[in-house]
Amino acid sequence: MSKPVLLTVDDDADVLSAIARDLRKHYGRDYRILRADSGSVALNLLNELKNLGDPVALVLSDQRMPKMDGVTLLAETVKFHPGSKRALLTAYADTEAAIGAINKSQVDYYLLKPWNPPEERLYPVLDDLLDDWRTSFRPGYGGVRIVGDRWSARCHRIRDFLARNQVPYEFLDVESSDEARKLVSDIAVSELPLVILPGGVRVRAPEPSDIAAQIGLTAKPKEHFYDLAIVGAGPGGLAAAVYGGSEGLRTVIIEKEAPGGQAGTSSKIENYLGFPTGLSGGDLARRAVAQARKFQVEILTPQEVKALRLEGPYKHLRLSDGSEISCHVLMLAMGVFWNLLPAAGADRLTGSGVYYGAAASEARHAAGEHVYLVGAGNSAGQAAMHFKDFADKVVMVVRGESLGAKMSHYLVDRIESTDNIEVRLHTEVKTCHGNEHLESLELWNNQTGQSEVVPAKYLFVFLGAAPRTGWLKDFVARDARGFVLTGSDLDPKTHLRDWPLERPPYLLETNVPGIFACGDVRSTSVKRVAAAVGEGSVAVYFLHQVLATL
């Protein structure tokens, strides 16, 4: 496969030459640097690259060009290479147009001229964009290859597991690829998917845990005892890990699926402080994991806590593989999980057209399709804005009378101004039809009582959320919905009858001394990424107060 392409576009020959020179100097070893002197030339070149199957990592365009300006060009780029990063090189006077384009998701970033010195004003920005691009790039050679049926639930689990753990892979569909059929000609359908690992090792019909170690993930703890054990690697858990590790605590995270939690499936978070152009949940998780590892935090995934045992000041956790680790202080950061869709046939078709969360691994397969989303929160809105770049049409199925009740205002405005997003209010999914995969949906209008059957291959569900805290049993106090109670939410007469200390529980501490909770799993928490990060960070201060008394 050819090197990925960096395409720069400018009608000024001197500027075009200078920017190409700087790109070649810093990126020439890993990327092909191509130039175009107009928008039309650039689009023709992008079309040729698409036909050749050559990946385009970045298009960097000047804004002020005759006939076609940079914003228009970058919007058209999505049609040829939807996964590429798009950046504007602008004069100060064009910043308003650049910000407007960012708000419409046509542009990932803008840079001001002049960009000298590039080491300070160009390369750091492009490095960040290209790092993000590489996490979703499927190289097709030398990496992991998955051969299977695109509608297989087991195949989806593997693809989603790799995507969420940011492991690049190539997927070959046995329905449409001659190469795929040749690779699996000697194995039974029941043994699909076939996973071909780097080096040629072939694994038939694996579960994620079967290939985790071979792709660099670790589920076995190195130690038996830690200062701080964190259950869950969502934003709150990762924040606690970064602060704990940076202050010298022996810290371990136990994560059932993939770092990032529910937020990690968000296609774009645009209101997180410090990222004016937004970032995906996967990008945020990747950065946080790198930061945690920098401070020697141990991350176990895929791994799950099955039981808690208390012994004096010590907390013992039994893991899914039967092993046990212990800690002085325990942080509960398990987040929440999507509620199941209450529609006939949904359970049977889960992973075969019905998906929970954004399922980024499926976005590219939705080209030319009508994609249905159920839900009216920010996650559903972010997914709609993501899928509209791939699907022919996105239909949001909303039970209530408006989007604005649960969704941020900026997302509502964005959705309402997007031509290929349709919002169907007062509507619910009653039945999911299909044999091997989803084929149609029965939609019911709860205002008129009328039903309609529509063809559909993709349904993504974003319905509420619930915690999985059953393993805490009677040790840790929870509210009626299973969310963990902390601090002032604990009732002294009921929850703190056996509290053994003279001091009251710290902020974010549960009814068990030394067990804390942060993020979405905590009762009365603010369900926002920034809030979870703040709680995870603040909790470390109180962890130190506990450790100081031991």
Side-chain angles (χ1 to χ4, degrees):
M1 177 176 285
S2 301
K3 290 180 181 179
V5 169
L6 306 185
L7 173 61
T8 180
V9 189
D10 202 305
D11 64 313
D12 185 316
D14 291 337
V15 173
L16 185 61
S17 178
I19 189 69
R21 176 201 63 216
D22 286 344
L23 292 177
R24 191 172 295 108
K25 175 183 176 183
H26 194 67
Y27 302 105
R29 187 180 69 176
D30 300 316
Y31 297 88
R32 280 195 296 158
I33 314 302
L34 301 182
R35 298 187 285 181
D37 59 9
S38 71
S40 59
V41 171
L43 291 179
N44 287 336
L45 181 54
L46 289 168
N47 188 41
E48 290 179 16
L49 293 169
K50 177 183 178 182
N51 292 334
L52 291 170
D54 290 351
V56 176
L58 171 74
V59 180
L60 175 61
S61 175
D62 182 46
Q63 166 60 4
R64 294 191 178 186
M65 297 186 295
K67 297 184 179 179
M68 184 184 297
D69 63 26
V71 169
T72 303
L73 167 62
L74 295 178
E76 292 294 310
T77 297
V78 176
K79 299 177 182 177
F80 300 99
H81 299 274
S84 65
K85 294 297 179 180
R86 307 180 294 278
L88 274 178
L89 191 59
T90 71
Y92 182 78
D94 296 322
T95 54
E96 186 174 342
I99 293 171
I102 288 170
N103 287 339
K104 294 178 181 178
S105 299
Q106 297 167 338
V107 173
D108 293 297
Y109 214 94
Y110 74 91
L111 302 102
L112 294 176
K113 297 178 181 179
W115 62 88
N116 288 323
E119 290 77 12
E120 295 179 12
R121 304 183 64 180
L122 178 67
Y123 299 148
V125 171
L126 298 190
D127 285 347
D128 216 22
L129 290 174
L130 293 172
D131 281 347
D132 290 348
W133 176 81
R134 280 193 292 268
T135 63
S136 59
F137 173 50
R138 305 294 178 252
Y141 179 77
V144 177
R145 308 180 87 191
I146 304 170
V147 188
D149 180 355
R150 65 184 283 201
W151 299 117
S152 161
R154 176 180 280 172
C155 189
H156 166 73
R157 283 199 302 274
I158 294 295
R159 288 187 285 127
D160 195 54
F161 173 74
L162 293 178
R164 292 191 60 196
N165 281 282
Q166 302 185 20
V167 177
Y169 68 88
E170 179 190 21
F171 174 60
L172 299 174
D173 185 4
V174 292
E175 288 187 359
S176 58
S177 168
D178 291 336
E179 182 182 4
R181 286 189 285 271
K182 289 179 182 178
L183 287 169
V184 298
S185 60
D186 60 336
I187 68 176
V189 173
S190 60
E191 296 179 298
L192 293 178
L194 172 68
V195 176
I196 305 175
L197 298 165
V201 175
R202 294 159 64 98
V203 186
R204 302 182 184 190
E207 289 298 323
S209 57
D210 298 328
I211 61 173
Q214 299 179 71
I215 58 176
L217 302 179
T218 302
K220 297 287 185 183
K222 296 178 181 177
E223 309 285 345
H224 294 294
F225 191 86
Y226 296 86
D227 296 316
L228 169 61
I230 302 167
V231 185
L238 288 169
V242 168
Y243 278 84
S246 68
E247 295 179 19
L249 301 181
R250 289 174 298 168
T251 303
V252 63
I253 298 179
I254 304 107
E255 168 54 45
K256 180 181 178 181
E257 295 173 348
Q262 193 180 87
T265 68
S266 294
S267 51
K268 197 166 191 180
I269 304 167
E270 296 191 63
N271 56 0
Y272 190 71
L273 185 66
F275 293 87
T277 61
L279 77 168
S280 71
D283 294 338
L284 179 62
R286 174 180 58 80
R287 297 163 191 260
V289 166
Q291 207 169 5
R293 285 180 172 150
K294 171 185 174 182
F295 296 119
Q296 285 77 54
V297 172
E298 195 175 332
I299 301 176
L300 308 181
T301 184
Q303 184 60 275
E304 186 176 4
V305 178
K306 289 294 188 180
L308 169 66
R309 180 169 59 87
L310 302 177
E311 186 179 351
Y314 304 111
K315 292 83 183 169
H316 306 282
L317 302 174
R318 180 167 57 82
L319 306 182
S320 54
D321 62 1
S323 62
E324 186 174 272
I325 61 172
S326 306
C327 61
H328 280 309
V329 181
L330 175 62
M331 171 65 76
L332 305 176
M334 296 87 73
V336 291
F337 299 84
W338 297 114
N339 288 326
L340 298 179
L341 179 68
D347 184 60
R348 180 174 56 84
L349 294 171
T350 296
S352 302
V354 177
Y355 307 100
Y356 288 85
S361 59
E362 301 298 331
R364 295 177 186 278
H365 301 298
E369 301 285 352
H370 284 201
V371 168
Y372 286 79
L373 307 178
V374 179
N378 276 4
S379 294
Q382 290 158 355
M385 293 303 299
H386 177 63
F387 281 110
K388 59 96 173 169
D389 288 337
F390 298 89
D392 185 55
K393 187 176 185 179
V394 176
V395 181
M396 299 190 69
V397 179
V398 179
R399 181 175 57 187
E401 61 184 16
S402 73
L403 279 179
K406 298 180 180 179
M407 190 180 295
S408 294
H409 181 71
Y410 80 92
L411 271 174
V412 176
D413 286 346
R414 201 79 52 78
I415 288 167
E416 291 178 347
S417 63
T418 302
D419 292 338
N420 68 332
I421 298 180
E422 175 188 350
V423 180
R424 301 187 63 159
L425 303 175
H426 300 290
T427 304
E428 301 175 38
V429 176
K430 299 299 288 184
T431 309
C432 300
H433 299 285
N435 295 318
E436 300 299 320
H437 60 84
L438 180 66
E439 296 173 6
S440 63
L441 299 171
E442 179 190 354
L443 303 181
W444 177 67
N445 187 299
N446 58 33
Q447 198 172 45
T448 66
Q450 295 181 331
S451 292
E452 175 188 5
V453 176
V454 296
K457 292 182 179 179
Y458 291 94
L459 174 67
F460 296 90
V461 181
F462 303 86
L463 280 181
R468 293 180 183 171
T469 53
W471 61 273
L472 296 172
K473 298 191 180 299
D474 295 330
F475 294 124
V476 177
R478 287 160 285 157
D479 65 19
R481 297 179 299 160
F483 290 90
V484 176
L485 294 166
T486 59
S488 60
D489 291 331
L490 292 164
D491 185 341
K493 295 180 179 180
T494 56
H495 304 130
L496 299 177
R497 286 178 300 180
D498 299 322
W499 180 259
L501 306 178
E502 292 185 7
R503 66 166 178 85
Y506 290 124
L507 180 72
L508 305 177
E509 192 172 20
T510 70
N511 62 306
V512 179
I515 298 183
F516 292 76
C518 70
D520 289 359
V521 76
R522 192 178 68 80
S523 181
T524 71
S525 68
V526 178
K527 303 299 188 281
R528 289 290 185 268
V529 173
V533 170
E535 290 182 8
S537 306
V538 168
V540 173
Y541 169 79
F542 297 106
L543 303 183
H544 279 292
Q545 307 303 308
V546 172
L547 291 171
T549 65
L550 298 178

